[in-house]
Every structure is written in structure tokens, then in C-alpha cells.
Amino acid sequence: RIDAHAHVFQNAPLMYELLQRLDVRLLNICVVDKHERGYGEIEPQHKMALEVFRASQGRAAWCSSFDPQDWESTGFSARVNDQLAKTFSDGAIAVKIYKSIGMELKSKAGQYIMPDNPVFAPILDFVASRNKTLFAHIAEPASAWMPLDPASPHYGYYKANPDWHMYAHPERPSKETILAARDRMVKAHPKLRVVGCHLGSMETDVDDIARRFDLYPNFAVDTAARVPDL
């Protein structure tokens, strides 16, 4: 059994015993979310993910990440690659990019930055060159762009996290715009394995997912937090 998308940042011996007894492995994913307590900085997550990886005797593999906030600064991609190289040497098998790219991150001129922006290309090339996988949580469920609906499986999340409720931020890009940029990124890096987290944010139409599989042999999805949508 493999849990392909987990967030475990506590050294818990009982969990390690559980993984051993049930013969479960998991991928422990680091992510920078400035709006989520405990996820604002990446280095503490890297440190704990490595600790969990070692204490679990490798059952909790881990996925590193980086903060794209200073993407316009000189030497950004080189600094990120140096940081990721350290995580790879510590055993990280993947890298996470997050929905802030496309949904929140802006240039100094006020333009929203998409995942296919050239500034990320050297980073994606580096990940591919090290034979690692990119986990891409890009965009969100369709309900993020709709009024709050108690019947939606995502109602509680957007009620508690208004920063990500795009309906309340009409100035931000559409879901279609963001996913089109994601697709261009996948196409431009055919040697890079890309996992679209959360059904690739295409949870309303499995045919839509299937079309991406046909178009991009390097693309896959996970089902994390989207089983209620299925």
C-alpha cells in the first residue's frame, strides 16, 4: 500500500509502527503556503521530513519544495537548484510546486505568474536531470471559482481559507488560464515526470484527465483529497 500524498511533520513512533505493521509506504510532501500555519517556511519542513524519512527507515519517502516568492531576484533559479540539490542528497525523490503559482504570485508590475514562466524552466530542467518527479498542485477545484456552497465537499476549506476562494477575488486568473499554462509547462519538459496533485485540478471530468494522459506521456495524477469529487 502506498499513500502517494501525505503531510507528516511530527516524529511519531506509533505512526512508524503502524506503517510497519500494515506494510504501508507514503510520500511526505513539503509545501510553502503562507496562509497555512506551520507551512510558511520551507527549511523547517525539509528538516522534519528528513527526520521522519530516517526514523521510518525509508517508509516515509519525501518530496522537497521551494519558496517562489523572490522569483524576480537575480540568481533565483540557481539558488533554488542549490537548495534542491541538498534535499536530493538527503534522499528527497521529488519536488513540489504549489497553487500560489498562477493563483497568487505576481510580478512587481502586477502580472500573475504562471507555471510556464521562463524563470522556472532551469529549475524544472534540473529536476528532470536528476531523475526526480515534479508534484504540481496547480489551480484548485472548480468550486474555488464559485459561490460558497454547503453541498460542495470543499465548502469547509474555502470558508476557512478565503485567500484561496477565487470567487471572492475576481481580479485573479481563471482556472482555465492556469491549467492551460500548466499544460504548456508539461509539454515543454517532456523528460520531466509530472504528477498533477488532486486529480490535476480536473476533478469534474475524468475525460478531461484522460485527454491529458493521451497528450502528455510524462503526466500522471494523484487522487489525494478529491475522492469525494469522484
Side-chain angles (χ1 to χ4, degrees), residues 15-24 56-57 59:
M15 184 193 71
Y16 307 143
E17 293 174 15
L18 179 70
L19 296 178
Q20 181 80 25
R21 187 171 74 249
L22 299 180
D23 193 18
V24 171
S56 69
Q57 298 183 332
R59 283 190 175 273

Side-chain angles (χ1 to χ4, degrees), residues 139-153:
E140 278 281 84
S143 54
W145 281 264
M146 299 176 181
L148 288 174
D149 179 4
S152 166

Side-chain angles (χ1 to χ4, degrees), residues 140-203:
E140 278 281 84
S143 54
W145 281 264
M146 299 176 181
L148 288 174
D149 179 4
S152 166
H154 310 290
Y155 171 76
Y157 178 79
Y158 293 120
K159 185 176 182 180
N161 295 274
D163 293 294
W164 297 121
H165 187 213
M166 299 290 273
Y167 180 81
H169 305 279
E171 75 283 0
R172 297 188 185 183
S174 68
K175 178 173 179 173
E176 292 74 21
T177 296
I178 298 170
L179 288 186
R182 188 275 315 275
D183 291 348
R184 291 193 296 270
M185 177 198 74
V186 174
K187 182 178 181 179
H189 298 273
K191 295 182 179 180
L192 175 66
R193 292 189 303 270
V194 181
V195 174
C197 300
H198 313 300
L199 294 177
S201 293
M202 297 176 288
E203 71 292 332

Side-chain angles (χ1 to χ4, degrees), residues 195-218:
V195 174
C197 300
H198 313 300
L199 294 177
S201 293
M202 297 176 288
E203 71 292 332
T204 60
D205 185 353
V206 292
D207 289 335
D208 210 18
I209 300 172
R211 280 190 288 272
R212 263 57 172 217
F213 291 164
D214 290 339
L215 287 169
Y216 313 118
N218 57 322

Side-chain angles (χ1 to χ4, degrees), residues 37-59:
R37 183 178 178 182
Y39 292 91
E41 303 295 331
I42 193 58
E43 285 306 325
Q45 294 180 60
H46 285 170
K47 182 179 178 181
M48 181 52 70
L50 176 58
E51 185 175 331
V52 171
F53 168 67
R54 288 173 172 168
S56 69
Q57 298 183 332
R59 283 190 175 273

